[in-house]
Amino acid sequence: MDYLKKGFSMAKEGAVAAAEKTKAGVEGAAAKTKEGVMYVGNKTKDGMVAGVNTVSQRTTDQANIVGDATVAGANELSQQTVEGMENAAVNSGLVNQVNLSRDAEKHIMFL
């Protein structure tokens, strides 16, 4: 009978040891899983922030390009308008071409 007690006791100790190791293994696996999920979450968040920053920078760049083109177009249009007005004034006889050239030189000197 003693050998049965001793055998069952050993089996019980083995089962307890296995259960403790299993519990520790499961806890370790859970910790590693949590660590992996957090890592993926952080990298995804970092990627999203980088993506938003890239889109924002590209939008700003495009807005600057459009703004520069608008200013250049407005400058060109105003220059053509001035030239058209000068031509109309000369052609209508309101202004003499020589006087117009002198006035232009005066304005250039002030700039």
Side-chain angles (χ1 to χ4, degrees):
M1 202 60 167
D2 284 337
Y3 66 90
L4 287 177
K5 281 184 168 180
K6 188 173 182 177
F8 286 135
S9 177
M10 289 171 63
K12 180 182 171 188
E13 288 173 5
V16 168
E20 287 176 359
K21 287 185 179 184
T22 301
K23 179 183 173 190
V26 169
E27 288 173 350
K32 291 289 184 185
T33 301
K34 178 182 175 186
E35 182 180 321
V37 168
M38 295 297 290
Y39 178 82
V40 169
N42 286 334
K43 289 298 177 184
T44 301
K45 181 184 83 168
D46 293 345
M48 288 298 293
V49 168
V52 168
N53 287 340
T54 299
V55 169
S56 173
Q57 183 61 44
R58 288 185 180 164
T59 302
T60 301
D61 292 345
Q62 292 299 318
N64 288 336
I65 290 168
V66 170
D68 291 346
T70 302
V71 169
N75 287 340
E76 186 176 332
L77 179 62
S78 65
Q79 181 62 36
Q80 289 176 354
T81 302
V82 168
E83 289 171 2
M85 294 297 290
E86 289 172 350
N87 289 337
V90 169
N91 291 335
S92 67
L94 292 173
V95 178
N96 186 343
Q97 179 68 37
V98 174
N99 291 340
L100 187 62
S101 297
R102 285 185 196 151
D103 288 342
E105 288 176 9
K106 287 179 187 176
H107 291 296
I108 291 172
M109 294 173 99
F110 288 115
L111 294 176

